[in-house]
Amino acid sequence: MVELLKLAPTADELAGRFAAAGHRLYLVGGSVRDALLGRAGSGGDLDFTTDARPEQVQKILRGWADRQWDTGIAFGTIGAVRRGQTVEITTFRADRYDRESRNPEVAFGDTVESDLLRRDFTVNAMAVQLPERKFVDPHDGLAALAARVLDTPAAPEDSFADDPLRMLRAARFVSQLGFSVAPRVRAAMTAMAPEITRITAERVQAELNKLITGAHPRAGIELLVDTGLADHVLPEVPAMRLATDEHMQHKDVYTHSLVVMEQAISREEPGRPDLVLRMAALLHDIGKPKTRKLEKDGRVSFHHHEVVGAKMTRARLRALRYSKATIDEVSRLVYLHLRFHGYGTGEWTDSAVRRYVTDAGPLLDRLHKLVRSDCTTRNRRRASALQRSYDSLEERIAALRAQEELDAIRPDLDGNEIMRILGIPPGPLVGKAYKHMLALRMERGPISHEEAETELRTWYAAQPPH
């Protein structure tokens, strides 16, 4: 705590002002938890709780804060900035919930103990009284922190009934902090999993993003699946447990997908978690259960699962209110993740390589990482062969890129030139001609302007009368 407060001199300044006004002030929340975990330098906002009412807080901050706002005043929260440090100060709360939504009936409390009782987990229910710097821990949060266990201050059934989003937060903290959940918390999550449907898609998405970009996303996802929460927020993931992969491996598609995600993470730039890559790795095989077919020779096939999976990915991410850009990128990677396997032993033509690069577009680097991560076979010879084959493809891409500027492939004639050469006005025929010239560019690579014009005229002569 001392180290934390050294890094946050605003806390002592603020405490002095509250004490002078006759009010108590406590530092609470994630900053206390992180300081005890040795992460005091990780930055972030500082959260405080106080017996002062919001109007009194505003008066205390006046003349001290560089800026303050009251967007959360209905919930007793006033925000402010002092020398670049953001603080949020909330009056003691003793809320009640209608247990139909997650909206509390806001009620102010009189003690820090009652305020800490309403918090999500005991590791977040510790406080430091200021300026005395007295540690307050009525729910043994420090012991839970030492054991790296998530437990609730109140009975978990009551906590989750008040706010079902806390169940997703548990999985998120498992991912971010590497904690486990207490047996009674796991039992309550399992029994109350359907309650998560009370939460809006936007809130669910925000927690999933933090979970997937955490340090241990596999553990968080496994908790969601094992407790049944995933059945309501990402049902396609637990559904993969029903499918055996096409190589008749002992692992199912679900486990395979978790391994692929871990391997994709290992290929990220350090300290820069890639939500799109991780999500694509997790979902790349979700089309397999729907395309599963038992062949005559006893093997299992999943023909066109990448096409089905891309459609399923798009539908799920749309339901979770992801941005159009994220939906397009993740579903595109799912759609393309099998394309490489047509490369075989290197028989692709230059045209096929150009199409691979063009279809991937700005996702090419992520596609490289996803495809390489998708190799989870224990057969070292087969794994080495696949990696060599992909090495060969990347080398050919590099060679063609050097020759042809692959990242910006365009037809040798643009729309204006097509209209000028053929003497036609804007319309569908111009688009049709453009597509023909683009296909020609893919097939043959760059050609001279004279050759391109000849090819265009030949194509146009073969078209039906207009």
Side-chain angles (χ1 to χ4, degrees):
M1 292 298 100
V2 170
E3 291 304 311
L4 169 64
L5 294 171
K6 283 180 181 177
L7 294 169
T10 50
D12 277 336
E13 292 178 12
L14 201 55
R17 295 181 71 88
F18 273 78
H23 292 290
R24 290 167 285 156
L25 185 71
Y26 298 83
L27 182 64
V28 293
S31 57
V32 175
R33 179 198 67 225
D34 288 346
L36 292 168
L37 287 171
R39 302 170 62 196
S42 60
D45 302 345
L46 295 179
D47 295 321
F48 298 86
T49 188
T50 180
D51 61 337
R53 295 303 191 250
E55 296 78 11
Q56 295 170 316
V57 172
Q58 288 177 310
K59 184 177 180 181
I60 292 169
L61 292 177
R62 199 169 297 132
W64 175 81
D66 299 328
R67 182 168 59 92
Q68 65 169 289
W69 56 90
D70 62 0
T71 51
I73 196 169
F75 298 95
T77 300
I78 302 297
V81 171
R82 168 75 168 177
R83 291 196 298 267
Q85 174 69 66
T86 299
V87 300
E88 288 196 341
I89 304 153
T90 303
T91 303
F92 293 156
R93 298 260 296 270
D95 303 338
R96 293 182 178 180
Y97 291 78
D98 59 17
R99 298 196 172 182
E100 293 181 5
S101 68
R102 65 182 296 265
N103 299 321
E105 299 172 8
V106 178
F108 296 136
D110 298 313
T111 67
V112 70
E113 288 79 13
S114 64
D115 182 90
L116 296 177
L117 178 64
R118 53 171 284 278
R119 295 180 180 267
D120 55 3
F121 301 107
T122 60
V123 296
N124 295 328
M126 300 177 286
V128 179
Q129 184 176 344
L130 300 173
E132 299 85 354
R133 301 191 178 186
K134 177 185 176 184
F135 185 54
V136 181
D137 183 18
H139 305 292
D140 294 325
L142 185 59
L145 200 67
R148 307 184 76 79
V149 171
L150 290 173
D151 203 348
T152 51
E157 293 81 5
D158 291 334
S159 181
F160 298 155
D162 284 346
D163 185 359
L165 188 66
R166 290 171 174 170
M167 295 187 286
L168 277 186
R169 284 171 62 83
R172 186 244 289 188
F173 284 128
V174 165
S175 171
Q176 288 182 324
L177 302 175
F179 285 18
S180 62
V181 295
R184 69 172 191 157
V185 170
R186 181 182 289 269
M189 291 172 67
T190 303
M192 302 179 68
E195 292 293 311
I196 199 63
T197 56
R198 288 163 45 192
I199 305 301
T200 64
E202 290 81 2
R203 292 279 187 173
V204 170
Q205 182 215 119
E207 291 299 324
L208 282 177
N209 290 347
K210 293 173 184 176
L211 185 161
I212 291 172
T213 56
H216 312 279
R218 176 171 180 168
I221 291 164
E222 287 177 332
L223 180 60
L224 291 183
V225 170
D226 293 345
T227 57
L229 278 164
D231 293 336
H232 304 283
V233 297
L234 271 179
E236 297 81 2
V237 172
M240 288 190 288
R241 291 178 299 180
L242 304 177
T244 303
D245 75 18
E246 65 268 40
H247 305 297
M248 303 302 290
Q249 298 291 329
H250 69 281
K251 57 185 180 296
D252 59 16
V253 177
Y254 165 67
T255 303
H256 163 78
S257 298
L258 294 178
V259 173
V260 172
M261 182 180 65
E262 289 182 314
Q263 294 186 167
I265 291 171
S266 72
R267 290 181 163 85
E268 292 176 345
E269 294 182 39
R272 299 185 64 180
D274 187 336
L275 175 66
V276 168
L277 176 62
R278 294 184 183 198
M279 188 75 80
L282 177 64
L283 302 180
H284 76 283
D285 274 348
I286 61 170
K288 281 190 171 180
K290 283 193 174 183
T291 57
R292 184 178 186 274
K293 180 181 178 182
L294 185 63
E295 302 291 352
K296 292 180 180 180
D297 62 1
R299 294 172 63 84
V300 176
S301 67
F302 304 98
H303 296 307
H304 306 301
H305 75 268
E306 75 283 7
V307 178
V308 174
K311 292 179 180 178
M312 293 171 64
T313 297
R314 186 173 291 277
R316 176 52 52 198
L317 297 188
R318 189 179 291 125
L320 288 169
R321 303 291 192 272
Y322 276 92
S323 68
K324 183 179 183 301
T326 300
I327 294 171
D328 290 345
E329 289 173 350
V330 177
S331 59
R332 190 66 177 166
L333 287 172
V334 172
Y335 178 75
L336 291 174
H337 83 274
L338 272 190
R339 181 77 63 84
F340 159 73
H341 293 283
Y343 188 69
T345 56
E347 303 93 345
W348 274 14
T349 61
D350 286 350
S351 171
V353 176
R354 291 186 194 103
R355 290 185 184 280
Y356 189 78
V357 173
T358 303
D359 289 349
L363 296 172
L364 183 62
D365 183 59
R366 284 174 168 143
L367 183 59
H368 288 333
K369 294 174 181 176
L370 176 59
V371 173
R372 288 186 181 276
S373 300
D374 195 22
C375 176
T376 60
T377 179
R378 291 185 178 182
N379 185 319
R380 292 185 180 180
R381 181 176 299 177
R382 184 170 182 274
S384 295
L386 284 170
Q387 295 300 337
R388 285 196 304 272
S389 187
Y390 207 83
D391 288 343
S392 169
L393 176 56
E394 287 203 60
E395 289 166 4
R396 290 185 64 189
I397 289 172
L400 281 174
R401 177 178 281 129
Q403 297 170 18
E404 305 177 13
E405 299 182 356
L406 278 188
D407 295 327
I409 286 182
R410 298 289 186 274
D412 295 285
L413 301 173
D414 64 21
N416 290 327
E417 290 176 299
I418 289 171
M419 289 187 288
R420 178 184 59 78
I421 292 168
L422 299 181
I424 59 176
L429 186 60
V430 178
K432 192 174 178 182
Y434 184 92
K435 288 181 180 179
H436 169 73
M437 296 306 296
L438 178 60
L440 187 67
R441 170 70 171 79
M442 290 287 188
E443 187 64 33
R444 292 172 51 181
I447 58 177
S448 68
H449 189 278
E450 183 179 341
E451 287 179 291
E453 184 171 336
T454 299
E455 290 288 349
L456 176 64
R457 292 185 184 281
T458 300
W459 171 85
Y460 183 68
Q463 300 306 301
H466 298 283

